[in-house]
Amino acid sequence: MMNNMAYWGYLSLLIYPALIALGFWAAYFVIRNAIRSGLRQHQEWLDTRPEKPPVL
């Protein structure tokens, strides 16, 4: 019985950090895509602004 419990303990030491890493990886991609989308929208907004003469 104790050997079986030790097996699950060792297995959990591998699974829990992997799940945490997977969560960070997913959050990284969500944040990266949000930043890229925001920068793209901002660039589109800049491109649609009327041109003004440069201030010298």
Side-chain angles (χ1 to χ4, degrees):
M1 185 75 161
M2 291 302 288
N3 289 338
N4 193 19
M5 292 296 289
Y7 171 75
W8 286 109
Y10 292 131
L11 190 61
S12 67
L13 288 177
L14 297 174
I15 291 175
Y16 289 143
L19 289 176
I20 292 169
L22 184 64
F24 278 116
W25 182 72
Y28 164 75
F29 278 107
V30 167
I31 292 168
R32 186 185 74 170
N33 288 333
I35 291 171
R36 285 183 177 181
S37 174
L39 289 174
R40 189 179 312 113
Q41 289 177 0
H42 183 67
Q43 186 62 46
E44 290 172 359
W45 174 76
L46 287 175
D47 293 341
T48 60
R49 291 176 57 202
E51 289 291 327
K52 292 183 180 180
V55 178
L56 300 176

